[in-house]
Amino acid sequence: MNEIKRAGDRFTSNGGWVMRKFYGRPRTRLFTFLSVFWIVVSAPALFIVFRDSTRWTESPTLSGKLGAIAFEQWIGIVLILLHLAFVTLAGCFHLTEQPHEEVFLEDDPDRGPHKLY
């Protein structure tokens, strides 16, 4: 005959999750991540900015130099400056941010969903 299991036997306490404590620096981690992966964005921007740099380096006046910079070069300059800001913020937070406790949920290896039966 088929066995009928009680409904309480199929569920684990806390839904199969365990709370873990972690001491870390979230802002440092965020800006370090951004500054490392922003290289993918700033490398092509460097190429775009310096591809036609002779156009804006030959002009004798400042207004002539600024007028000779193309729109895509301005966008490239902004992307490079963002990368420098991320690197600066990562360094500042590395030096000043204190580690604090973070709590997150992790799968419980003893009471996971695959061990319900």
Side-chain angles (χ1 to χ4, degrees):
M1 283 197 171
N2 293 337
E3 279 187 41
I4 298 175
K5 293 187 178 183
R6 292 180 307 190
D9 291 342
R10 291 187 282 155
F11 297 105
T12 59
S13 62
N14 296 330
W17 300 92
V18 175
M19 293 179 73
R20 300 278 184 210
K21 291 182 181 177
F22 174 73
Y23 290 90
R25 301 174 177 177
R27 290 181 186 145
T28 303
R29 194 171 47 242
L30 170 70
F31 287 110
T32 303
F33 175 81
L34 284 174
S35 62
V36 168
F37 287 104
W38 201 259
I39 293 171
V40 175
V41 176
S42 65
L46 279 171
F47 174 74
I48 289 170
V49 168
F50 292 113
R51 179 183 54 193
D52 293 331
S53 63
T54 56
R55 224 176 36 181
W56 48 273
T57 55
E58 292 176 350
S59 181
T61 64
L62 180 63
S63 63
K65 289 180 191 243
L66 292 176
I69 297 175
F71 178 73
E72 63 269 8
Q73 290 176 325
W74 281 111
I75 299 298
I77 290 169
V78 168
L79 293 174
I80 293 167
L81 290 176
L82 272 174
H83 190 200
L84 293 176
F86 292 153
V87 170
T88 303
L89 286 170
C92 289
F93 283 127
H94 178 73
L95 296 175
T96 60
E97 186 179 19
Q98 297 297 320
H100 66 277
E101 182 179 288
E102 298 176 51
V103 179
F104 63 96
L105 294 174
E106 186 178 84
D107 288 337
D108 187 359
D110 297 328
R111 297 179 187 219
H114 61 282
K115 294 186 177 183
L116 287 176
Y117 302 104

